C-alpha cells in the first residue's frame, strides 16, 4: 500500500511516501518554516499558507525521487485535513486532491493526531495494540487508550493549555526562538533541575492535566529577574549566576523537570488504572530526552514497556500521515473523498466517523 502524503497543518511543509503494508518509509522530506515566522515569535497563518504553496511542488517531487517511484505507481494520495490552521490545511489537501484527481487514485483525508498516535509503529516492530498513548504536542496533551486503528478512548486531557504551548511560552519569556521546546532542552542541559520549586497543578489521582498555573508561575518568576539573567541569546551566556538569581539554564532545567514529573505521575496513574502493557509517547514534546527518560522510568516501575518514535518522527512530519492513511485504507476504515472538507478542529475521538 504505497501512499504519498502531504502534511501542512501548521508551519512544517512535508511530503512522504510510506508502504503501510510493510511499515516502510520510502521517503520523508520536510521544510521547516522557522525563518518565515521568526520575526513574529509565533505562526502567522497567511505566511504559513504562502510558504506551503511555494514549497510543495519541489517537496513532492523530492519525495518521489527519493522513493524512486513514478506517480502512477502510487496506490493513494493523502493529506492532513485537520486539526490545524484552515488555510494551511487547504494548501496541502488541495494539492493532494488535485494529484489524486489527475492520477485517478483515491484521496485519503487524514487526521493529524491519528498520525501521531500511530507513528510509533513505523519504527517499533514489536509494538502491538492496545497501548496507552501520551500525546503531547503544540496543541494537545492527552492520555488515550489506542485499542485499534480508528478506535481511540480518551482517558485524560489538559483542562487548559497544552504542554508544547507551555514550553513555547516559557521559551519566549527566556528570549528563545519559536518553537522553543528544542532550545529549552538544550539550555536545560547546563542547568540544575532542582533549583526551583515549581507548582504541580492537578497533582491528584486523575488523568487530567493543567499547565496554566505552571505557566503563570514561570511568567512571574522570570519577570521578577534582572533582564540580563534571562537573555541567553543576547548575552551569549546562560545568564548571570549570582547566588540568589537562578540562571536561565537553571530555569529551563527546573521547568523541564517539572513537566517530566507531571507526565510521569499522570502516566503512572494511567498504567495503574488500566494495567496497559505498553506506554507510547508521541507528538513534538515527546522528542524531549528528559521527558522520555522520566517516562521510561515510570514504565519500569509499573512493569510496562515504553516506546516512542525517534525525535524526528515525534515532531510534525508527513510519514506519520502516509502511514495512518494507508493503515486506515488497509483496515477499510472511512477515509473521506475528494469532497471531504478540512476540519480545523477534529478531535481524535471523532476520527472513525470522518
Ligand atoms: O507535534 P508538533 O511538532 O506539532 C503540533 O502538532 O503541535 O509539536 C510541536 C511542539 C512545540 O510546542 C515544540 O516546542 C514542542 O513540540 N517540541 C518540544 C521539543 N521539540 C518540539 N518540546 C520539548 N522538547 C523538545 N525537544
Ligand atoms: Zn503535530
Amino acid at each position: 500500500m504505497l501512499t504519498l502524503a502531504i502534511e501542512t497543518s501548521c508551519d512544517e511543509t512535508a511530503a512522504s511516501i510510506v508502504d503501510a503494508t510493510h511499515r516502510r518509509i520510502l521517503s520523508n522530506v520536510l521544510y521547516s518554516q522557522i525563518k518565515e515566522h521568526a520575526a513574529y515569535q509565533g505562526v502567522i497563518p497567511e505566511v504559513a499558507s504562502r510558504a506551503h504553496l511555494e514549497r510543495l511542488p519541489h517537496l513532492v517531487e523530492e519525495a518521489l525521487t527519493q522513493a524512486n517511484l513514478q506517480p502512477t505507481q502510487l496506490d493513494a494520495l493523502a493529506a492532513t485535513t485537520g486539526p490545524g490552521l484552515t488555510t494551511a490545511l487547504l494548501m496541502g489537501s488541495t494539492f493532494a486532491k488535485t494529484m489524486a484527481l489527475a492520477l485517478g487514485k483515491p484521496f485519503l483525508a487524514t487526521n493529524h493526531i491519528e498520525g501521531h498516535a500511530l507513528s510509533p509503529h513505523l519504527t517499533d516492530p514489536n509494538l502491538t495494540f492496545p497501548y496507552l498513548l501520551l500525546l503531547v504536542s503544540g496543541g494537545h496533551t492527552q492520555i488515550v487508550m489506542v485499542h485499534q486503528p480508528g478506535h481511540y478512548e480518551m482517558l485524560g486531557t489538559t483542562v487548559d493549555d497544552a504542554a508544547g504551548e507551555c514550553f513555547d511560552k516559557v521559551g519566549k519569556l527566556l528570549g528563545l526562538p519559536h518553537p522553543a521546546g528544542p532550545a529549552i532542552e538544550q539550555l536545560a542541559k547546563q542547568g540544575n533541575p532542582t533549583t526551583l520549586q515549581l507548582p504541580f497543578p492537578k497533582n491528584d489521582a486523575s488523568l487530567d492535566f493543567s499547565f496554566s498555573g505552571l505557566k503563570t508561575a514561570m511568567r512571574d518568576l522570570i519577570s521578577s529577574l534582572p533582564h540580563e539573567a534571562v537573555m541567553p541569546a543576547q548575552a551569549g551566556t546562560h545568564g548571570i549566576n549570582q547566588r540568589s538569581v537562578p540562571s536561565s539554564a537553571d530555569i529551563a532545567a527546573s521547568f523541564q523537570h517539572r513537566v517530566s514529573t507531571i507526565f510521569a505521575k499522570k502516566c503512572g496513574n494511567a498504567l495503574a488504572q488500566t494495567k496497559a502493557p505498553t506506554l507510547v509517547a508521541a507528538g513534538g514534546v515527546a522528542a524531549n530526552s528528559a521527558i522520555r527518560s522520566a517516562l521510561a522510568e515510570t514504565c519500569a516501575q509499573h512493569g510496562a514497556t515504553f516506546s516512542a518514535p525517534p525525535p524526528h518522527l515525534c515532531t510534525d512530519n508527513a510519514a506519520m500521515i502516509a502511514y495512518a492513511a494507508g493503515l486506515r485504507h488497509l483496515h477499510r476504515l472511512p477515509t473521506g473523498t475528494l469532497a471531504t472538507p478540512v476540519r480545523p478542529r477534529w478531535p481524535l475521538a471523532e476520527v472513525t466517523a470522518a
Side-chain angles (χ1 to χ4, degrees):
M1 176 67 197
L2 293 176
T3 308
L4 186 154
I6 292 174
E7 154 63 38
T8 59
S9 63
C10 191
D11 58 343
E12 249 93 36
T13 318
S16 169
I17 300 175
V18 167
D19 174 353
T21 317
H22 303 101
R23 296 188 190 180
R24 276 188 58 221
I25 301 174
L26 303 185
S27 62
N28 189 21
V29 293
L30 182 138
Y31 173 73
S32 184
Q33 302 177 5
I34 288 176
K35 270 194 274 140
E36 278 83 344
H37 302 283
Y40 310 103
Q41 295 227 335
V43 178
I44 309 296
E46 168 79 15
V47 174
S49 307
R50 282 168 184 259
H52 286 317
L53 201 54
E54 269 167 34
R55 298 280 168 168
L56 273 174
H58 172 70
L59 282 175
V60 167
E61 227 173 270
E62 184 67 24
L64 285 160
T65 308
Q66 275 186 23
N68 198 18
L69 287 172
Q70 296 300 317
T72 47
Q73 292 174 278
L74 298 169
D75 294 303
L77 282 301
T80 305
T81 51
L85 303 170
T86 306
T87 50
L89 292 167
L90 278 170
M91 294 303 153
S93 60
T94 305
F95 199 104
K97 283 177 178 179
T98 309
M99 279 186 78
L101 191 63
L103 294 164
K105 312 271 181 184
F107 168 74
L108 313 177
T110 308
N111 181 289
H112 180 89
I113 305 301
E114 186 173 36
H116 279 304
L118 298 174
S119 64
H121 291 278
L122 281 167
T123 45
D124 184 350
N126 300 319
L127 183 62
T128 52
F129 297 102
Y131 54 85
L132 204 56
L133 167 74
L134 173 69
L135 180 87
V136 278
S137 68
H140 293 80
T141 304
Q142 298 173 337
I143 297 180
V144 180
M145 183 61 88
V146 179
H147 292 283
Q148 281 293 323
H151 183 185
Y152 308 100
E153 185 187 353
M154 203 59 57
L155 302 180
T157 187
T158 177
V159 296
D160 40 54
D161 305 317
E165 212 177 322
C166 201
F167 263 93
D168 295 339
K169 180 75 187 170
V170 170
K172 191 172 179 178
L173 292 165
L174 289 173
L176 300 170
H178 183 91
I184 289 186
E185 182 174 359
Q186 281 311 311
L187 193 54
K189 286 187 179 142
Q190 288 122 48
N192 176 356
T194 61
T195 309
L196 303 171
Q197 294 303 310
L198 296 171
F200 183 155
K202 278 193 122 0
N203 186 3
D204 52 28
S206 81
L207 305 187
D208 289 329
F209 302 85
S210 168
F211 287 101
S212 72
L214 176 59
K215 205 170 80 176
T216 306
M218 296 305 295
R219 191 195 58 209
D220 292 349
L221 174 93
I222 295 168
S223 58
S224 72
L225 295 174
H227 179 73
E228 326 76 81
V230 291
M231 284 296 152
Q234 283 93 325
T237 69
H238 297 293
I240 55 174
N241 209 351
Q242 293 166 359
R243 216 174 312 148
S244 57
V245 180
S247 71
S248 47
D250 289 338
I251 296 171
S254 300
F255 167 72
Q256 182 178 267
H257 180 65
R258 171 49 79 218
V259 176
S260 302
T261 54
I262 293 173
F263 287 160
K265 165 92 194 264
K266 295 295 176 171
C267 289
N269 290 350
L271 287 168
Q273 284 178 28
T274 62
K275 308 274 181 272
T278 311
L279 171 72
V280 160
V285 183
N288 185 290
S289 55
I291 290 171
R292 294 162 82 100
S293 302
L295 293 173
E297 203 179 307
T298 302
C299 282
Q301 284 161 8
H302 286 82
T305 308
F306 177 65
S307 179
H312 75 282
L313 292 178
C314 284
T315 47
D316 286 351
N317 64 87
M320 67 182 194
I321 304 302
Y323 180 64
L327 204 63
R328 284 187 73 87
H329 185 83
L330 290 172
H331 282 250
R332 300 187 193 291
L333 291 165
T335 45
T337 67
L338 287 173
T340 302
V342 298
R343 273 181 77 173
R345 288 182 196 283
W346 187 9
L348 185 60
E350 290 177 22
V351 292
T352 303

